Amino acid sequence: MLSLRHVSVYYGKAMALNDVSIEVTHGSVVGIIGANGAGKSTILRTVSGLKQLTAGEILFREQRINGMGTTEIVKLGIVHIMEGRRLFPYLSVLTNLKLGASLRKDKAGINHDMEDILERFPLLRARRNQKAGTLSGGEQQMLAIGRGLMAKPQLLMLDEPSVGLSPLMVDTVAQIVKDINQRGVTVLLVEQNIPLAFSVAKRGYALQVGEVVLEGTTDELQSAGVVKQTYLGA
């Protein structure tokens, strides 16, 4: 579904990604792990058109998308939920959700998906008229995910969804990701919380200083010495 082929990205003269190749197959959950500054978020920003690559190419369903605008990329079915949630804090929960569907024209489908999301996240239904900025961190993350789903993604990219959440809410986010995938949405998950990433992904990539140093199934990554030493404290 998604292929990054020998992608390199620079911020000025500073290298962010160097010759990165990643494959995300249809219907899968793929995790990208790494420390701060490893280049994880840059991968998602480059896929969604927020950052231009220096070398390589990105294909979505065999169509080259690097060089396309963010709006066109979203229309293709790629939705990026950024780190920090990026909600409109002074707008209501309901308005934030509606904004997720701003590129859609199918009113009946939008209404159906809105009801589905409020059914899936009953806390959002109860707080639908509250300003988004008054929600707790976990509730805001649910809203960010719900808003992303309103765009009807084929590929959902999640950037550090566990940041700032309690352990209980992290478990909830993990279950939400599994549920999204079971409903037919492919997921690309960037996470520093390695147990979370490994609990939902079947395949993953480990990044260090902008380069892929390991790839394979999550079982293979968990057994790798560099992952144990660097990320799991073993």
Side-chain angles (χ1 to χ4, degrees):
M1 174 179 267
L2 179 72
S3 299
L4 282 74
R5 299 178 179 174
H6 306 291
V7 168
S8 295
V9 175
Y10 281 74
Y11 287 94
K13 295 183 178 180
M15 181 198 71
L17 298 175
N18 181 42
D19 196 30
V20 168
S21 294
I22 287 174
E23 295 286 335
V24 180
T25 59
H26 176 74
S28 65
V29 179
V30 174
I32 301 176
I33 64 172
N36 272 333
K40 306 185 304 300
S41 295
T42 298
I43 289 174
L44 302 193
R45 291 177 61 84
T46 304
V47 171
S48 60
L50 296 171
K51 181 65 182 173
Q52 297 303 307
L53 52 77
T54 307
E57 63 177 358
I58 302 173
L59 302 179
F60 180 66
R61 296 191 178 279
E62 304 303 322
Q63 177 182 355
R64 184 168 176 160
I65 63 171
N66 51 289
M68 295 177 63
T70 300
T71 299
E72 287 71 28
I73 290 171
V74 173
K75 286 180 178 178
L76 289 176
I78 300 175
V79 174
H80 179 186
I81 299 176
M82 301 179 74
E83 182 181 358
R85 299 178 276 274
R86 308 294 180 94
L87 300 171
F88 295 95
Y90 299 110
L91 299 181
S92 71
V93 166
L94 203 59
T95 301
N96 270 271
L97 289 172
K98 289 178 179 178
L99 286 170
S102 58
L103 295 179
R104 294 174 59 182
K105 305 298 182 184
D106 55 325
K107 292 184 178 180
I110 291 170
N111 292 335
H112 176 273
D113 290 344
M114 176 69 77
E115 184 58 32
D116 179 66
I117 287 166
L118 294 177
E119 182 74 21
R120 195 184 308 187
F121 303 121
L123 283 172
L124 297 184
R125 184 189 295 278
R127 292 161 173 73
R128 61 188 180 277
N129 295 318
Q130 281 186 224
K131 292 181 179 179
T134 66
L135 302 180
S136 69
E139 292 165 350
Q140 288 188 23
Q141 188 62 66
M142 289 182 192
L143 178 54
I145 292 172
R147 184 180 62 181
L149 293 175
M150 285 298 296
K152 211 168 184 63
Q154 297 178 43
L155 171 65
L156 185 67
M157 302 192 301
L158 290 161
D159 193 354
E160 305 279 11
S162 71
V163 168
L165 303 185
S166 68
L168 181 61
M169 187 54 67
V170 168
D171 292 341
T172 299
V173 168
Q175 188 54 54
I176 289 170
V177 173
K178 291 177 183 177
D179 178 63
I180 289 169
N181 180 243
Q182 288 169 359
R183 291 173 179 239
V185 179
T186 304
V187 178
L188 180 57
L189 172 68
V190 159
E191 259 298 343
Q192 285 190 72
N193 186 323
I194 309 306
L196 169 61
F198 286 169
S199 73
V200 298
K202 298 299 182 185
R203 184 169 181 82
Y205 294 81
L207 261 66
Q208 286 185 352
V209 198
E211 297 183 344
V212 174
V213 294
L214 283 172
E215 63 177 281
T217 68
T218 49
D219 287 340
E220 290 170 341
L221 292 182
Q222 287 186 89
S223 64
V226 64
V227 172
K228 289 181 178 179
Q229 294 171 10
T230 306
Y231 305 117
L232 300 179

